Amino acid sequence: MAIDRQTVSRTAFLSRLKIDDDKIDAAENEFNKILNWVEQLNEVNTDDVAPLTAVNENALVCREDKVTEGGQADEILANAPMAEYGYFVVPKVVE
């Protein structure tokens, strides 16, 4: 599969990238190199390879989830510019 100038321009438009006209040829070459590399990866036989969920097999050590400090809502809200009913008051961001 090969990428042409029109596809590069369309891809740049859809990804909101500005590619100058004099750099479209270079981008076309880069896209084609990437696609050739992906085609090479598709040729690798992975039939007997198990899918990985992680790079290493070490289990994550998790700590117990317990509250170590609490009951400080009034002191924390004392630093807020605006608080109401025990909560921070922030400006509306969604119209």
Side-chain angles (χ1 to χ4, degrees), residues 25-86:
D25 290 330
E28 179 183 348
N29 290 335
E30 287 297 317
F31 283 177
N32 285 321
K33 285 180 188 177
I34 292 168
L35 288 176
N36 288 335
W37 181 71
V38 171
E39 287 176 7
Q40 287 178 1
L41 289 178
N42 285 333
E43 294 174 4
V44 175
N45 184 4
T46 58
D47 292 340
D48 296 326
V49 178
L52 293 176
T53 56
V55 178
N56 55 14
E57 296 180 14
N58 296 340
L60 242 137
V61 179
C62 298
R63 63 173 171 78
E64 181 183 349
D65 191 16
K66 62 180 180 180
V67 177
T68 55
E69 289 187 31
Q72 301 176 0
D74 293 333
E75 290 141 4
I76 293 171
L77 288 173
N79 295 322
M82 292 178 59
E84 191 173 298
Y85 305 114

